[in-house]
Amino acid sequence: MTAELPDTNAGARADERPSKSQRKRDMLALQDLGVALVRLAAEQVRRLDLPENLRQAVLDAQKITAHEGRRRQIQYVGKLMRQVDADPIQAQLDAIHGESKAAVALMHRCERWRDRLLDDDGALTELLAERPLEDVQALRATIRAARRERSAGQPPRHARELYRLLYDHLSAPA
C-alpha cells in the first residue's frame, strides 16, 4: 500500500478564492448599488452608461409598487450587477449625488456664475470669453427674467433655469 501525499495545492487554491461570506458581502454590496439605481429618477437612469438589460430591469423595478414584486425585481437587478463592472456605475452615481469633488466644484462654479450674471452686466462677456455658447440670446433672456423676478420678490424659477443652463454649458466637454 502506498501512502498518498497530501495535496498542498488544495490549500493554496482555497486561499486564492474568496470565502463564502466575502462573496455574499460582495453580492449584497452590488444589490445595494442596484437599490441606489432604482431610487434615481427614470431620466437619470436613462442618462447613465448601463448595459441595456440592466437599465430596463432598473426602470421596471421603479414601476413595481407591490412589495414582494419590487423586492424580487431588485434581487434580479443585483444579479445583473454581478455581470458588469460596478466601479464605473458607482462613479456615475457619485457624480449624480454630488459626492465626487469634481461635481461639487462644478455645482459651486455654476452658482458663482449665476450670482455674477445676476449682479453684473459684464459677467456675461467674461463667461463667453471663457467658454463660447451657441444660444446666447436664450441665456440673456433667462438672465433678464431672473433679474425681474428677483426684483419683484417672486420665487426664483428663472434663476433655477439659469443655473441649469450654466450647469449644462459648463459640464459639457469644451
Side-chain angles (χ1 to χ4, degrees):
M1 245 166 81
T2 57
E4 297 223 3
L5 295 174
D7 187 6
T8 56
N9 289 335
R13 282 184 296 222
D15 291 342
E16 293 172 8
R17 194 172 65 206
S19 68
K20 182 177 179 183
S21 298
Q22 183 59 46
R23 288 193 316 250
K24 186 167 184 175
R25 281 190 295 269
D26 293 344
M27 287 189 300
L28 289 174
L30 289 173
Q31 189 168 342
D32 288 342
L33 185 58
V35 168
L37 289 173
V38 171
R39 288 183 179 153
L40 292 175
E43 187 56 39
Q44 289 175 319
V45 173
R46 287 186 190 95
R47 280 185 283 174
L48 290 175
D49 183 25
L50 299 173
E52 191 55 40
N53 61 346
L54 178 59
R55 176 180 291 116
Q56 191 57 50
V58 169
L59 292 172
D60 290 344
Q62 290 176 337
K63 295 175 188 174
I64 297 173
T65 58
H67 176 72
E68 184 62 19
R70 186 177 177 91
R71 184 190 67 78
R72 290 179 61 170
Q73 184 67 20
I74 288 173
Q75 282 186 327
Y76 177 63
V77 169
K79 178 182 176 183
L80 292 176
M81 291 292 296
R82 286 181 244 150
Q83 300 169 4
V84 299
D85 184 14
D87 291 337
I89 296 172
Q90 182 65 54
Q92 292 177 65
L93 275 177
D94 289 347
I96 286 175
H97 291 295
E99 294 172 2
S100 71
K101 291 182 181 183
V104 172
L106 176 63
M107 180 183 70
H108 289 303
R109 186 173 175 217
C110 292
E111 288 173 346
R112 283 192 303 272
W113 270 114
R114 180 192 58 202
D115 294 341
R116 286 181 63 195
L117 288 169
L118 292 177
D119 294 335
D120 182 20
D121 290 331
L124 181 60
T125 307
E126 292 176 39
L127 176 67
L128 295 176
E130 182 181 314
R131 288 195 62 173
L133 181 68
E134 292 178 18
D135 195 5
V136 178
Q137 292 303 324
L139 183 62
R140 282 191 176 119
T142 306
I143 293 169
R144 283 193 301 269
R147 286 177 180 168
R148 276 194 307 269
E149 73 186 7
R150 185 171 67 173
S151 65
Q154 296 174 338
R157 189 181 113 224
H158 291 288
R160 287 188 198 109
E161 184 180 339
L162 177 60
Y163 174 84
R164 280 191 293 276
L165 287 172
L166 288 169
Y167 187 88
D168 291 342
H169 176 62
L170 295 174
S171 64

